[in-house]
Amino acid sequence: MPGQQKKLIFCTAGVLSFACALGTAAAVGSQLWVRGSILCTTGALLVNASGPELHKFIGEIQYGLFSGQRVRQCGLGGRPFQFSFFPDLLKIIPASIHVSVILFCAVLIVFALVGAGFFMFNAFGSPYETLHGPVGLYLWSFVACSCGCLIMILFSSEVKIHHLSEKIANFKEGTFTFKTHSEQFANSFWTILVCSLVHFLNALLIRFAGFEFPFSKSKDSGTMTGAVDLMY
């Protein structure tokens, strides 16, 4: 492939990696990872609410990795409540999973920035082997894509398996009991998915630029060397 086309491909991959780093950083600070509604089961059972009356006992909840907001509805109007995960909710959430999600987000940002820098260096500089050549580009893209997948898996398990929304809804509630009525992942969660797909696309762009996968080429050369040794 001509050099100008390779420069264009590497510049495109570098811009995409940098955009992913900014998008991940914005997602980490956002409160829109999960959005849903919570039902005050205690209040609904007290008045035997059903049909349209049930809406008076359905509140809202939204949260991210560090903070969030819930609006509790128990028949007397909305009661907003702001909360933070650190240190308020550490006793009721799966702290190890939650901290792991934050750490993998940090790693994703770092490797996305590193990948963007090396893509630009390969486009305008004179790359040398090991970390600046194709091996490094594959490495940065693979690590960033893997971190994005781990973030989605861990956070999904925290929300769905450990019932994070219900634990937050019942935080500091002694009299009333709340149950998750509906919940869905919001924009910031899907931003991580898009970033993972972009890093996978970057690996395809490296291959499209004419670089073989690092390990396949060395394997072929080793096989040819072995065959020559057998001939002599």
Side-chain angles (χ1 to χ4, degrees):
M1 180 178 289
Q4 293 297 329
Q5 293 185 17
K6 288 185 178 180
K7 286 184 178 181
L8 179 62
I9 290 175
F10 285 141
C11 286
T12 302
V15 171
L16 290 175
S17 294
F18 185 73
C20 285
L22 295 180
T24 304
V28 170
S30 173
Q31 291 186 3
L32 290 179
W33 281 68
V34 174
R35 176 183 292 162
S37 58
I38 51 177
L39 172 64
C40 180
T41 56
T42 305
L45 289 174
L46 284 175
V47 299
N48 196 20
S50 61
E53 297 176 349
L54 199 61
H55 290 285
K56 298 180 180 180
F57 299 92
I58 296 178
E60 298 177 354
I61 186 172
Q62 68 177 39
Y63 55 89
L65 297 180
F66 293 97
S67 61
Q69 182 182 19
R70 75 182 186 197
V71 179
R72 59 196 296 271
Q73 292 270 10
C74 293
L76 298 175
R79 299 289 193 276
F81 175 73
Q82 298 281 345
F83 60 87
S84 61
F85 284 91
F86 304 99
D88 297 340
L89 302 177
L90 279 180
K91 294 182 180 180
I92 64 170
I93 66 172
S96 59
I97 298 179
H98 199 78
V99 173
S100 298
V101 171
I102 297 174
L103 289 178
F104 279 120
C105 284
V107 174
L108 175 58
I109 294 172
V110 170
F111 276 89
L113 290 174
V114 170
F118 281 128
F119 273 117
M120 290 301 181
F121 186 84
N122 277 270
F124 299 105
S126 299
Y128 55 85
E129 288 300 325
T130 312
L131 295 181
H132 285 258
V135 178
L137 297 180
Y138 279 116
L139 176 64
W140 310 134
S141 299
F142 174 76
V143 172
C145 182
S146 300
C147 287
C149 294
L150 286 173
I151 290 168
M152 291 186 294
I153 292 172
L154 291 175
F155 190 76
S156 299
S157 66
E158 187 179 5
V159 173
K160 299 298 183 180
I161 298 177
H162 294 275
H163 306 289
L164 184 60
S165 298
E166 282 191 9
K167 291 180 178 179
I168 294 175
N170 290 284
F171 177 63
K172 290 185 177 180
E173 291 290 343
T175 305
F176 295 96
T177 302
F178 292 87
K179 184 179 180 180
T180 302
H181 186 262
S182 67
E183 64 180 357
Q184 60 272 348
F185 295 108
N187 298 337
S188 296
F189 179 84
W190 300 119
T191 298
I192 302 297
L193 173 61
V194 172
C195 291
S196 301
L197 294 177
V198 165
H199 289 297
F200 180 76
L201 174 64
N202 284 347
L204 295 180
L205 288 177
I206 302 169
R207 180 65 186 88
F208 183 71
F211 290 114
E212 297 288 343
F213 192 73
F215 303 108
S216 62
K217 191 172 182 179
S218 60
K219 183 178 178 181
D220 295 340
S221 61
T223 304
M224 293 178 61
T225 305
V228 172
D229 291 341
L230 288 175
M231 290 177 63
Y232 292 95

